Amino acid sequence: MCGIVGAVAERSITAILLEGLKRLEYRGYDSAGVAVFTNDGTLARMRRPGKVSELEQALEAEPLVGRLGIAHTRWATHGAPCERNAHPHFSGDLAVVHNGIIENHEALREQLKALGYVFTSDTDTEVIAHLLSHKLKDLTDLTVALKATVKELHGAYGLAVISAKQPDRLVAARSGSPLVIGLGLGENFLASDQLALRQVTDRFMYLEEGDIADIRRDSVQIWDLDGKAVERETVQYRDGAEAADKGEFRHFMLKEIHEQPAVVQRTLEGRMSQNQVLVQAFGPQAAELFAKVRNVQIVACGTSYHAGMVARYWLEELAGIPCQVEVASEFRYRKVVVQPDTLFVTISQSGETADTLAALRNAKELGFLASLAICNVGISSLVRESDLTLLTQAGREIGVASTKAFTTQLVGLLLLTLSLGQVRGTLAAGVEATLVEELRRLPTRLGEALAMDSTVEKIAELFAEKNHTLFLGRGAQFPVAMEGALKLKEISYIHAEAYPAGELKHGPLALVDNDMPVVTVAPNNELLEKLKSNLQEVRARGGQLIVFADEKAGMTNGEGTHVVHMPHIHDILSPILYTIPLQLLSYYVAVLKGTDVDQPRNLAKSVTVE
Ligand code: F6R
């Protein structure tokens, strides 16, 4: 969640650290700080609550100039987001930044207090700084002391440390939180995400679980979990640094919503023949493994979980495979009974979500047939640790609220469904060919839905003064309604609930009055008439209806009913199309409410803590 950047160089590194932090701000943004071993031989730091721009202004007023430094952007877990809790944390001559959670921090804090260490923050990170300081009393070398320190930590950490006594090195440790070394010429860098360093290098070395690294200007040394010196592969990225620019759009979120036709097209590219999905898109052993699959277990969090919920309808209807879907934070702590020949599928934009990763690691012990990751980041832990992978091609998503990642995940999951149906012989070739054809047309349909942008913007005005909203859907549109409600609450802070429309009269109908807008998606399918009856129940209680309906669904505007017509689409693909107006709706409501659309309060893009 938090972001880490570090540098050891011949040149002044503060501007590099700041630029890195800006690129990482999507991970967490409630405070930021930097510690530099300055050219006059002291360890100095600057920390500020709020965004990186606050820190930048403070550094303009009081520059820190040096050739060794670490920096951090924080998403608070222990202690309020304020200056004294912002990283880096100091202990004597040491500065430490940390991403993760130390579970035994309270016990360690008590031991260290008894030894005379004084705490100035509420964070678990300060415990690491003091513990390392203490170890250094006997084990004078920084990496040796760091190895001894991490042995006493329970939990997750990505750590970067500098010491005024050993100012030629930056040391790092990884367990549960990603870290990557950026390799330069006569200078080296460290970050929690390579994006932070694309301005200075295109060569990277990923630390693995349990690794400790000693990074100097002209060398990098790494030890694995067992203390053995190891080499890690150098990866070179030849593409230019990914653009982090909003173009003509006011927010990244709006830009990313409008990118969906292009990224869906990219996600489909090379994965379908004329009539069929190419099963090998999931990996060389996919066909052999898919033939054995008798059940599917999907595990994910948040928006990715909603994608999994849609996939359940597809897998059961089209491939005839029983499917269970569960949020990772529940799955990982439950005693799970695994049916024979179950494929374990994780879905994640980042591939670093702590709960999803932990669920995958647990699954390996539970006797699943194989694991498959549907993920947007090829170099993520989830991809590295899964047997099979399908990379979504959404490109970098900067808006914290996930949009294009969701629709490309849906595309990946539909490809999976068709592949399983094909290999197991449970899906008629004609049905597969029709859906392949429909998938080919999908980018055009998405473009048509996006053309409704200004209509949806107008509808958003109905929500500006509201505090609560209900989202309804039936069948595979129920998870779409859940995703619509999640988007609205995330970025506009309006309370939103999603229900299967048939559940309305079992409780939530009591909430409906003319102050509660009810949003629903109504493709022209066999559930339409049932949905219409549910909408009558809402109207009869004075509820305001906002309906995104198929142009042939026979729904029209009326008193208290606002209908937006959607292009016609094959029912199987309708969850992908109907997501678009709900994304636009949340976006425009948030803009009207004046919230920070791309970086909503209390959230972070990549949730690498539990
Ligand atoms: C919502 C959102 C989150 C993520 C969730 C999982 O807009 O972005 O709910 O979907 O934190 O993240 P990933 O997909 O990276 O595992």
Side-chain angles (χ1 to χ4, degrees):
M1 319 270 295
C2 311
I4 289 175
V5 194
V8 51
E10 284 284 13
R11 52 176 164 159
S12 174
I13 43 74
T14 317
I16 297 172
L17 297 179
L18 265 180
E19 175 59 25
L21 287 188
K22 284 189 206 155
R23 288 162 180 250
L24 288 181
E25 214 174 10
Y26 74 96
R27 292 178 71 91
Y29 33 73
D30 56 40
S31 51
V34 55
V36 174
F37 180 70
T38 64
N39 287 350
D40 54 19
T42 56
L43 193 58
R45 77 179 156 186
M46 181 75 81
R47 299 178 295 173
R48 283 293 177 271
K51 299 203 167 186
V52 176
S53 54
E54 307 282 331
L55 177 68
E56 188 173 27
Q57 275 171 25
L59 285 166
E60 268 163 26
E62 265 176 77
L64 294 180
V65 183
R67 287 172 284 197
L68 171 72
I70 50 177
H72 190 265
T73 175
R74 179 170 187 250
W75 185 86
T77 56
H78 293 77
C82 56
E83 183 166 333
R84 88 193 156 78
N85 286 332
H87 302 210
H89 288 284
F90 278 9
S91 179
D93 299 312
L94 288 178
V96 176
V97 290
H98 165 223
N99 181 12
I101 288 181
I102 302 305
E103 286 165 357
N104 58 338
H105 73 103
E106 275 170 4
L108 290 171
R109 182 183 283 257
E110 290 316 310
Q111 286 167 26
L112 288 158
K113 274 186 184 165
L115 290 166
Y117 289 90
V118 176
F119 284 80
T120 59
S121 80
D122 309 315
T123 65
D124 48 347
T125 307
E126 197 179 4
V127 165
I128 306 174
H130 288 320
L131 186 59
L132 180 58
S133 221
H134 191 64
K135 298 281 178 205
L136 274 164
K137 287 189 173 150
D138 298 327
L139 309 165
T140 47
D141 181 82
L142 202 48
T143 48
V144 176
L146 186 60
K147 284 178 200 169
T149 300
V150 297
K151 280 209 173 94
E152 295 190 25
L153 304 179
H154 303 165
Y157 52 82
L159 286 172
V161 183
I162 56 173
S163 160
K165 287 212 177 113
Q166 301 176 41
D168 54 343
R169 63 207 300 212
L170 165 62
V171 300
R174 167 188 173 152
S175 181
S177 286
L179 279 179
V180 59
I181 297 170
L183 303 167
L185 288 175
E187 56 186 16
N188 285 315
F189 308 92
L190 178 78
S192 44
D193 182 333
Q194 48 88 18
L195 284 172
L197 303 175
R198 294 300 285 272
Q199 25 135 3
V200 281
T201 183
D202 61 359
R203 289 188 306 130
F204 296 94
M205 207 178 253
Y206 286 86
L207 292 188
E208 293 187 8
E209 287 296 278
D211 279 357
I212 301 250
D214 184 359
I215 306 158
R216 306 193 185 214
R217 278 196 285 277
D218 41 23
S219 69
V220 170
Q221 214 178 342
I222 301 175
W223 296 267
D224 70 6
L225 192 60
D226 303 320
K228 194 157 62 79
V230 282
E231 301 268 326
R232 299 286 175 223
E233 187 194 350
T234 301
V235 182
Q236 182 150 20
Y237 295 104
R238 301 211 176 268
D239 54 325
E242 287 181 65
D245 124 41
K246 295 183 200 134
E248 66 195 83
F249 296 95
R250 184 163 160 201
H251 294 100
F252 281 111
M253 182 178 175
L254 188 60
K255 175 175 177 248
E256 288 159 4
I257 290 174
H258 279 270
E259 280 170 1
Q260 290 175 108
V263 296
V264 161
Q265 173 90 48
R266 255 181 17 212
T267 302
L268 290 170
E269 258 160 34
R271 289 172 171 165
M272 302 187 304
S273 69
Q274 193 58 30
N275 310 313
Q276 278 197 318
V277 173
L278 303 172
V279 178
Q280 60 271 37
F282 291 86
Q285 329 110 278
E288 195 190 327
L289 280 169
F290 285 0
K292 296 185 192 148
V293 172
R294 282 201 278 153
N295 299 282
V296 172
Q297 170 73 63
I298 299 178
V299 168
C301 301
T303 288
S304 301
Y305 166 69
H306 296 154
M309 297 262 297
V310 174
R312 182 167 68 146
Y313 289 88
W314 289 337
L315 282 160
E316 300 210 344
E317 178 176 342
L318 294 169
I321 300 180
C323 173
Q324 298 202 46
V325 191
E326 192 163 356
V327 286
S329 55
E330 286 300 315
F331 179 88
R332 66 180 287 193
Y333 291 116
R334 205 162 61 74
K335 298 267 175 292
V336 180
V337 177
V338 181
Q339 299 285 345
D341 299 320
T342 301
L343 178 68
F344 185 78
V345 178
T346 54
I347 311 168
S348 174
Q349 187 285 125
S350 60
E352 299 295 349
T353 300
D355 283 322
T356 310
L357 206 47
L360 170 65
R361 288 174 185 159
N362 289 358
K364 293 196 169 166
E365 313 298 316
L366 294 175
F368 283 97
L369 174 69
S371 59
L372 162 68
I374 300 212
C375 186
N376 196 36
V377 181
I379 45 172
S380 59
S381 307
L382 205 65
V383 168
R384 276 203 302 272
E385 296 182 27
S386 298
D387 304 316
L388 302 171
T389 305
L390 186 90
L391 289 183
T392 49
Q393 300 291 342
R396 187 175 168 203
E397 192 177 62
I398 293 175
V400 163
S402 205
T403 53
K404 59 178 181 168
F406 179 67
T407 42
T408 52
Q409 285 168 351
L410 289 179
V411 167
L413 288 159
L414 188 50
L415 293 175
L416 173 66
T417 304
L418 300 183
S419 301
L420 283 166
Q422 181 198 118
V423 170
R424 297 177 69 256
T426 45
L427 179 67
V431 177
E432 184 177 7
T434 304
L435 288 170
V436 162
E437 191 50 40
E438 292 291 336
L439 275 168
R440 234 179 244 118
R441 290 198 200 115
L442 181 61
T444 312
R445 295 285 162 279
L446 296 178
E448 287 163 13
L450 286 165
M452 298 175 347
D453 187 295
S454 49
T455 313
V456 181
E457 184 173 8
K458 197 101 202 76
I459 293 274
E461 289 168 16
L462 299 170
F463 293 75
E465 305 300 326
K466 304 292 185 207
N467 296 317
H468 307 277
T469 305
L470 210 52
F471 283 73
L472 301 178
R474 272 187 173 263
Q477 303 299 335
F478 167 50
V480 172
M482 291 173 80
E483 176 57 11
L486 177 64
K487 285 294 86 95
L488 190 70
K489 60 190 144 196
E490 270 182 303
I491 61 168
S492 74
Y493 315 147
I494 293 179
H495 169 228
E497 295 260 13
Y499 270 93
E503 272 291 290
L504 201 58
K505 58 171 89 60
H506 298 289
L509 200 53
L511 293 170
V512 173
D513 61 15
N514 64 6
D515 244 358
M516 166 82 100
V518 176
V519 181
T520 189
V521 282
N524 192 9
N525 61 19
E526 79 257 22
L527 295 171
L528 181 65
E529 290 312 315
K530 302 222 170 288
L531 181 69
K532 282 184 182 170
S533 315
N534 300 137
L535 301 187
Q536 287 309 322
E537 293 160 10
V538 172
R539 274 308 296 139
R541 273 91 192 161
Q544 298 283 309
L545 280 174
I546 293 89
V547 190
F548 296 97
D550 187 287
E551 56 203 9
K552 295 184 189 142
M555 300 188 80
T556 48
N557 279 330
E559 207 199 321
T561 306
H562 308 264
V563 177
V564 179
H565 284 131
M566 298 284 295
H568 181 66
I569 190 154
H570 190 292
D571 191 40
I572 289 294
L573 276 75
S574 60
I576 312 178
L577 187 77
Y578 280 76
T579 297
I580 304 273
L582 301 190
Q583 294 170 342
L584 288 170
L585 182 67
S586 322
Y587 172 76
Y588 284 115
V589 174
V591 169
L592 281 174
K593 300 211 87 157
T595 58
D596 189 342
V597 173
D598 285 332
Q599 296 184 334
R601 69 186 181 201
N602 306 341
L603 300 178
K605 186 70 190 159
S606 183
V607 187
T608 52
V609 291
E610 205 181 329

